[in-house]
Amino acid sequence: MQKTPTVLVTGGCGFIGANFVRLLRQQRPQWRLINLDKLTYAGNLNNLTGIQDGPGYRFVRADICDTAAIEGLFTGEGIDMVVHFAAESHVDRSITGPAAFIETNIVGTFTLLEAARRHWLDGEGKPAAGTRFLHVSTDEVYGSLGEEGFFSETTAYDPRSPYSASKASSDHLVSAYFHTYGLPTLITNCSNNYGPYQFPEKLIPLILRNAMQEKPLPVYGDGRNIRDWLYVGDHCEAVLEVLERGLPGRSYNIGGNNEKMNIEVVTLICDILDRRLGLPEKGMTRRSLITFVRDRLGHDRRYAIDAARIREELGWQPKVAFEDGIEMTVDWYLANQDWVEAVVDGSYQEYYTKMYGDR
Ligand code: NAD
Ligand code: DAU
């Protein structure tokens, strides 16, 4: 009989990680899930209300760079699989403060790979049955597209921000551990996600928050940069497919086939909120709050994913159309304004530090 797997999810209190923890508890309730998160400004246990510690689930507050903590988990919990979301994830922060990106995204990934290598490979370099290391990465490793073309898994890496360079470095380390040691690794490179629990520093939740509060809506440059938007639930389902059925050593691009200019996304949010909440003033729509501001340094122009491999090999494709996903997201943020304000002012972190200590 096959052993019930124990999965270590890193960064499970962040935006995508929390959505993935919820999906896994729902769809694989028999699996044991360890959620390891440092609870940085971007991680909140309130993203996981309703998910309680018990035989099938445990939360551990720790840093992925902390070798002793990671080693302790591999030894004590018998980890079979790792799904690695934990990262510094915001491009603008990487421009103003790159050091944390190097530490968490590169050194942290290295620390996890080393633990998996020590615990999963036998004397001949053969991996223990059922072991998998899935590294969640980004389409930004491929750089920036012009008006034509798509990123495929064979597109050469060309990262252009400290964030994407740190993710590219971690991807290379993961590939190296497959080729050198035979560690059963997988990589996913996904496009821009949106949906519930996204920290309001990223475009969609930031615009939503400001537009609800009738504050200026900052659009970088000319607003014509293009992103390929994917609903977070679709991304999480893709990650689970790759975890269970992906071929070790392979990477899989994940995208929404849904390219939008930033200005299109911002005006759409304005129009939905005008319908939901009414106009801010008679004759004034929320579009009038749009303010073009100084461009992001090195701002990538266009991302677009060719997701043929995951579609053809694993049968995955997005289920949620952008028009529906954005309406659901607007409704979620309208219903969860307390969550938004608490994550912005950091009051949750103080509370969890009291509960769990500094680490
Ligand atoms: P996020 O910033 O919302 O969450 C990151 C989580 O990692 C937080 O819970 C944080 O506390 C935790 N964390 C940060 N540093 C840590 C450390 N040193 N040790 C332990 N935990 C730490 O990020 P997200 O948007 O959910 O992204 C998750 C992953 O998906 C990242 O690896 C990111 O590169 C990748 N990704 C994100 C997107 C997107 O659109 N958001 C798209 C493609 C790929
Ligand atoms: O492509 C995947 C990546 O998507 C992930 O790897 C990153 O973790 C995630 O943060 C996201 O990166 P982007 O830089 O594309 O996302 P962001 O939401 O920061 O910005 C989206 C676009 O909107 C980008 O062109 C910059 C622009 N923007 C952003 C903000 C925050 C604005 O015009 N105004 C803003 O205030």
Side-chain angles (χ1 to χ4, degrees), residues 51-126:
I51 308 240
Q52 310 284 354
D53 273 22
Y57 175 82
R58 180 182 163 204
F59 170 69
V60 177
R61 188 177 193 180
D63 189 328
I64 53 167
C65 302
D66 181 341
T67 306
I70 304 296
E71 189 60 32
L73 277 182
F74 270 79
T75 307
E77 296 282 359
I79 306 293
D80 302 297
M81 296 192 263
V82 173
V83 185
H84 176 32
F85 292 97
E88 288 292 336
S89 70
H90 190 39
V91 174
D92 292 329
R93 286 181 190 255
S94 83
I95 295 167
T96 51
F101 289 71
I102 305 306
E103 193 62 22
T104 285
N105 298 1
I106 306 177
V107 178
T109 303
F110 167 71
T111 306
L112 290 166
L113 286 166
E114 276 291 90
R117 179 166 84 92
R118 276 193 298 273
H119 285 266
W120 292 353
L121 301 181
D122 67 14
E124 278 135 35
K126 194 162 164 284

Side-chain angles (χ1 to χ4, degrees), residues 10-18 36-44 47 62-65 84-90 100 103-105 108 135-139 163 167 188-194 197-199 201-202 229 235 349:
T10 71
C13 297
F15 163 47
I16 307 172
L36 179 149
D37 197 297
K38 185 180 174 181
L39 299 180
T40 68
Y41 79 94
N44 283 285
N47 297 357
D63 189 328
I64 53 167
C65 302
H84 176 32
F85 292 97
E88 288 292 336
S89 70
H90 190 39
E103 193 62 22
T104 285
N105 298 1
H135 175 61
V136 179
S137 191
T138 171
D139 59 357
Y163 164 69
K167 292 296 291 189
T188 53
N189 296 92
C190 189
S191 63
N192 286 63
N193 285 214
Y194 69 99
Y197 302 108
Q198 188 167 30
F199 192 87
E201 63 185 350
K202 308 280 165 62
W229 294 98
H235 181 191
Q349 265 75 12

Side-chain angles (χ1 to χ4, degrees), residues 4-241:
T4 303
T6 297
V7 186
L8 174 65
V9 173
T10 71
C13 297
F15 163 47
I16 307 172
N19 279 281
F20 184 76
V21 166
R22 288 179 180 281
L23 178 83
L24 213 56
R25 291 306 292 144
Q26 202 184 28
Q27 298 208 352
R28 299 290 179 274
Q30 70 283 16
W31 290 12
R32 179 155 166 74
L33 196 168
I34 314 291
N35 171 14
L36 179 149
D37 197 297
K38 185 180 174 181
L39 299 180
T40 68
Y41 79 94
N44 283 285
L45 275 175
N46 272 50
N47 297 357
L48 291 171
T49 42
I51 308 240
Q52 310 284 354
D53 273 22
Y57 175 82
R58 180 182 163 204
F59 170 69
V60 177
R61 188 177 193 180
D63 189 328
I64 53 167
C65 302
D66 181 341
T67 306
I70 304 296
E71 189 60 32
L73 277 182
F74 270 79
T75 307
E77 296 282 359
I79 306 293
D80 302 297
M81 296 192 263
V82 173
V83 185
H84 176 32
F85 292 97
E88 288 292 336
S89 70
H90 190 39
V91 174
D92 292 329
R93 286 181 190 255
S94 83
I95 295 167
T96 51
F101 289 71
I102 305 306
E103 193 62 22
T104 285
N105 298 1
I106 306 177
V107 178
T109 303
F110 167 71
T111 306
L112 290 166
L113 286 166
E114 276 291 90
R117 179 166 84 92
R118 276 193 298 273
H119 285 266
W120 292 353
L121 301 181
D122 67 14
E124 278 135 35
K126 194 162 164 284
T131 54
R132 320 268 278 178
F133 187 111
L134 193 160
H135 175 61
V136 179
S137 191
T138 171
D139 59 357
E140 299 199 12
V141 297
Y142 298 120
S144 180
L145 291 165
E147 282 178 17
E148 302 286 311
F150 296 89
F151 297 135
S152 79
E153 290 83 355
T154 55
T155 303
Y157 274 31
D158 182 23
R160 294 149 55 99
S161 72
Y163 164 69
S164 53
S166 68
K167 292 296 291 189
S169 306
S170 60
D171 290 11
H172 288 320
L173 278 171
V174 172
S175 295
Y177 272 63
F178 172 77
H179 290 291
T180 307
Y181 304 113
L183 198 72
T185 63
L186 299 141
I187 299 175
T188 53
N189 296 92
C190 189
S191 63
N192 286 63
N193 285 214
Y194 69 99
Y197 302 108
Q198 188 167 30
F199 192 87
E201 63 185 350
K202 308 280 165 62
L203 179 73
I204 288 182
L206 182 139
I207 294 296
L208 265 170
R209 175 172 184 248
N210 285 14
M212 286 191 282
Q213 299 178 0
E214 297 168 20
K215 290 185 178 153
L217 309 178
V219 174
Y220 297 166
D222 64 4
R224 298 174 71 82
N225 299 64
I226 291 175
R227 298 292 182 265
D228 173 0
W229 294 98
L230 178 70
Y231 191 67
V232 63
D234 279 330
H235 181 191
C236 291
E237 288 186 5
V239 167
L240 185 53
E241 288 290 353

Side-chain angles (χ1 to χ4, degrees), residues 15 194-198 203-213 231-232 264-278 286 320-340:
F15 163 47
Y194 69 99
Y197 302 108
Q198 188 167 30
L203 179 73
I204 288 182
L206 182 139
I207 294 296
L208 265 170
R209 175 172 184 248
N210 285 14
M212 286 191 282
Q213 299 178 0
Y231 191 67
V232 63
E264 292 178 280
V265 173
V266 173
T267 51
L268 179 62
I269 291 172
C270 289
D271 296 350
I272 298 174
L273 280 178
D274 284 350
R275 282 203 303 277
R276 295 278 201 285
L277 300 176
R286 281 181 176 72
V320 179
F322 185 69
E323 294 65 30
D324 300 329
I326 196 76
E327 298 261 355
M328 293 194 292
T329 303
V330 171
D331 287 338
W332 190 88
Y333 278 87
L334 280 172
N336 290 279
Q337 293 181 53
D338 290 351
W339 176 90
V340 172

